[in-house]
Amino acid sequence: MLHLLDWGVTIGSVLLCLLLLPTRLPGMELLGIGPNWLLIWVVAWSVKRSVWAGTFAGIVLGLLQDAITSPHPSHAITLGLVGFLTGLLQKQRFIQEDFISIALIVFGMAILAETVFGLLLTLAGDRQTEYIWAYYQRVTLASAILSSLWAPVLYYPLNSWWQRMKMLES
């Protein structure tokens, strides 16, 4: 029963992030760009898990994002890379302060994800390269700032829940 509840909270949080992705509430946008909620979720999930768990979560969430947006290029590549690299960080071993470290990790991963997505758009060749990179500069900074500012709002409740579940299992 406890495992079922844990899965329910985890899947519910993913669905909430999917619903928040296109939502633009006052104070939650900068230059028309909102936080990347799925990226924040992938970082929150991957930061204390294995590389493969983070990669798998990133790919699944990327495919979900592709299902509600355009699948060309795929968000599964960028979020999978974010999950992989966040899992490699092994945060619990090297970084102690949660609030600042999660914000910094999300900031860096948002820049990385937008850069990779810009490269994928360029490789697709169906848009002008100058337009892609002019738009990329604006989107990247706004997304990184907002995502890092909102990261603790999502990270702390999820991390507390997952730690509680881990303690109850052992």
Side-chain angles (χ1 to χ4, degrees):
M1 185 67 167
L2 197 58
H3 286 293
L4 197 59
L5 181 61
D6 187 30
W7 277 102
V9 168
T10 301
I11 291 170
S13 65
V14 169
L15 293 176
L16 177 66
C17 288
L18 279 170
L19 291 173
L20 284 173
L21 207 55
T23 306
R24 299 292 183 258
L25 299 173
M28 279 182 54
E29 68 177 329
L30 183 63
L31 302 172
I33 308 299
N36 190 338
W37 294 104
L38 292 178
L39 182 133
I40 297 168
W41 194 96
V42 169
V43 169
W45 174 265
S46 305
V47 79
K48 293 185 179 176
R49 287 184 174 71
S50 72
V51 170
W52 302 116
T55 304
F56 181 73
I59 291 170
V60 169
L61 267 62
L63 291 173
L64 288 172
Q65 187 173 1
D66 288 343
I68 62 172
T69 62
S70 173
H72 303 291
S74 177
H75 293 90
I77 296 168
T78 58
L79 289 178
L81 183 62
V82 165
F84 178 79
L85 293 175
T86 303
L88 277 178
L89 288 176
Q90 297 180 357
K91 183 189 151 313
Q92 68 272 20
R93 187 184 296 178
F94 299 115
I95 305 171
Q96 298 301 316
E97 178 56 49
D98 274 345
F99 180 78
I100 294 169
S101 65
I102 288 300
L104 289 174
I105 291 168
V106 168
F107 186 86
M109 292 301 166
I111 289 174
L112 175 76
E114 295 296 341
T115 302
V116 170
F117 197 75
L119 288 170
L120 292 172
L121 284 172
T122 302
L123 291 175
D126 60 346
R127 295 176 180 95
Q128 291 181 352
T129 304
E130 299 82 25
Y131 173 76
I132 291 170
W133 293 106
Y135 185 69
Y136 156 80
Q137 292 172 358
R138 192 180 88 183
V139 168
T140 300
L141 191 56
S143 176
I145 290 170
L146 284 172
S147 296
S148 64
L149 289 174
W150 282 96
V153 172
L154 188 63
Y155 172 76
Y156 278 119
L158 286 176
N159 187 49
S160 295
W161 174 261
W162 290 328
Q163 282 181 341
R164 221 174 283 130
M165 289 298 107
K166 197 175 199 179
M167 285 178 20
L168 289 174
E169 287 177 2
S170 52

